[in-house]
Amino acid sequence: MSDKVVKFGGSSLASAEQFRKVAAIINGDPKRKYVVPSAPGKRFSDDIKVTDMLYKCCELAGSGVDFTDDFQLIKDRYNGIISELGIDMSLDEEFDSITKELKARPSKDFAASRGEYLNGKVLAKYLGFNFVDAADVIVFDTKGSLLLDETVKAVRERLSSLDNAVIPGFYGKTTEGYIKTFSRGGSDVTGSIIANAVRAEIYENWTDVSGFLVADPRIVENPDVIEVITYRELRELAYMGASVLHEDAIFPVRSAGIPINIRNTNRPEDAGTMIVSDDYNFSRESIKHTITGIAGKKGFSTINIEKAMMNNETGFGMKVLQVLFNNGLSFEHMPSGIDTMSITVSSDKLDPVRDKVIAELRKAVAPDHIEIEDGIALLAVVGRRMKNTRGTVARIFASMAHARVNVKMIDQGSSELNVIIGVSENDLPEAIRRIYDMFINSEK
Ligand code: ASP
């Protein structure tokens, strides 16, 4: 029997009520043996995450200010959960030693890690599971980069003799013995590493949404959940800003061929989204729609360059890109015509060097005309099935035409995994809604 690794995010463990749901999920499947918790998150929208409270205590400690009151709020969160669940335990000793350490050495990483550490202690006790300190198994080098091989070895050694374990997310220890955290949201990464180490059959990532949505719910009303998405498709959508999972959580499971299942702690009956490898054997039933997701991102500018006979001029593109390089600009897209070239860049990055870039481009390639157009949004239609389906692009542009949206740029990647369209920022919501209608509503 292979095992499942289950990670629960902060909102899934924000209160005693949430702990009960989590325990029911874990107890509902004997394969759910390895549990990775986050620190208690928000219970309501204005609430403060324990991690943020810990950062604050550390900041106060660092400036020599008394942080007793702020730390008391943290104690209250844990003590509230413990007493409401009726668990027979006290974290008083832990609280004291954390306070002492913060006074002596106010390290941000140490402070933040205690949220997961304490929550792991409580959850292990509540479930009757073993507690394994992440500091003993997740290894970082002295610069703070994860040492995956050493970590996998340590996790295997530690877990081999245990039937179950709660391993707190988000942190580990450097080879010099200092506590080190991943970047925010990093418990996702811990879960992925544990799944790799135990060769889990699946990595379940439990959160407060029922998976990835086909489109942004602020734009499309009640969008469908994506049932199955490949790692590559996910990367395309994540680049456009769709976020549920920490970026670094992909690699450890992807390299081991382990699927991730995004699940909702508050709706465990929902199947969620399965993230699978690119060569996954898709069953016929999972093919519901031609496209997988639609995403949009604002804040781009295009530098439009025109010059007669551009196509005959050797090194034209190279000179243009050299100017961008000299100004520290990376480009997102660069479609070109015979006498035109248009380069999409982030407006934020362009702003500080805008005039300089234009002046240098004038000098480098002597264009007939050059201009910058701001207020551009990129819209990505992503889907592994587009490659084998005719007419997809035609349908996308028919949607644009019906919406009277002017298309400014088109880019289809060679992988045919996505079509990227540049539109004016004002047109973005309507464009997304029309594409959603065309591909999701009309295919129902
Ligand atoms: N608690 C940490 C954060 O708020 C890590 C995590 O939740 O994954 O970022």
Side-chain angles (χ1 to χ4, degrees), residues 6-29 32 34-38 81 85 119 122-124 126-127 129 166 204 206-208 263-268:
V6 287
K7 180 259 168 179
F8 291 89
S11 58
S12 299
L13 291 164
S15 64
E17 192 196 343
Q18 293 299 90
F19 265 71
R20 287 196 191 99
K21 293 182 193 168
V22 165
I25 290 164
I26 295 168
N27 294 330
D29 184 346
R32 295 186 176 126
Y34 302 111
V35 183
V36 176
S38 280
I81 293 172
L85 292 176
N119 224 22
V122 178
L123 186 61
Y126 185 50
L127 294 170
F129 274 32
V166 171
E204 291 180 348
W206 291 81
T207 173
D208 52 8
R263 299 284 293 265
N264 189 346
T265 303
N266 306 316
R267 292 180 57 94

Side-chain angles (χ1 to χ4, degrees), residues 99-323:
T99 313
K100 279 202 193 97
E101 180 66 23
L102 283 183
K103 282 183 183 154
R105 279 169 295 271
S107 139
K108 262 183 95 176
D109 286 31
F110 169 77
S113 75
R114 297 303 89 183
E116 272 65 15
Y117 172 82
L118 295 170
N119 224 22
K121 288 256 163 177
V122 178
L123 186 61
K125 183 82 183 171
Y126 185 50
L127 294 170
F129 274 32
N130 300 294
F131 174 81
V132 170
D133 190 351
D136 297 338
V137 289
I138 308 283
V139 195
F140 291 93
D141 68 14
T142 50
K143 293 204 183 80
S145 305
L146 176 78
L147 293 170
L148 187 61
D149 291 345
E150 280 84 339
T151 297
V152 165
K153 199 165 152 253
V155 172
R156 282 193 187 146
E157 265 170 31
R158 191 71 181 50
L159 296 185
S160 63
S161 58
L162 303 177
D163 284 340
N164 55 46
V166 171
I167 310 117
F170 193 37
Y171 71 94
K173 196 164 69 182
T174 67
T175 47
E176 284 176 321
Y178 295 109
I179 295 289
K180 166 91 196 117
T181 64
F182 294 106
S183 55
R184 294 303 301 263
S187 297
D188 284 344
V189 188
T190 310
S192 178
I193 293 168
I194 304 292
N196 172 312
V198 303
R199 294 279 172 234
E201 97 181 19
I202 194 163
Y203 169 28
E204 291 180 348
N205 190 295
W206 291 81
T207 173
D208 52 8
V209 290
S210 293
F212 291 106
L213 300 173
V214 172
D216 186 338
R218 288 165 299 187
I219 297 175
V220 172
E221 203 183 317
N222 228 339
D224 276 12
V225 169
I226 300 175
E227 285 175 22
V228 182
I229 187 169
T230 64
Y231 285 114
R232 278 170 66 200
E233 289 173 310
L234 179 64
R235 166 131 174 77
E236 301 285 347
L237 289 175
Y239 158 77
M240 295 296 285
S243 72
V244 169
L245 202 64
H246 193 294
E247 213 187 350
D248 297 340
I250 306 287
F251 174 71
V253 275
R254 184 179 186 172
S255 64
I258 300 166
I260 306 179
N261 188 193
I262 306 286
R263 299 284 293 265
N264 189 346
T265 303
N266 306 316
R267 292 180 57 94
E269 62 283 8
D270 290 351
T273 299
M274 284 289 265
I275 311 170
V276 300
S277 58
D278 305 307
D279 52 8
Y280 178 80
N281 183 10
F282 294 97
S283 63
R284 291 268 329 143
E285 307 83 82
S286 72
I287 303 180
K288 252 171 81 183
H289 303 297
T290 315
I291 65 167
T292 305
I294 314 160
K297 201 172 173 184
K298 294 182 177 176
F300 293 97
S301 301
T302 52
I303 306 171
N304 300 322
I305 306 174
E306 262 179 57
K307 186 175 187 187
M309 310 297 285
M310 182 191 284
N311 64 321
N312 280 334
E313 199 175 317
T314 29
F316 190 94
M318 188 192 76
K319 288 179 207 156
V320 169
L321 294 184
Q322 185 70 45
V323 172

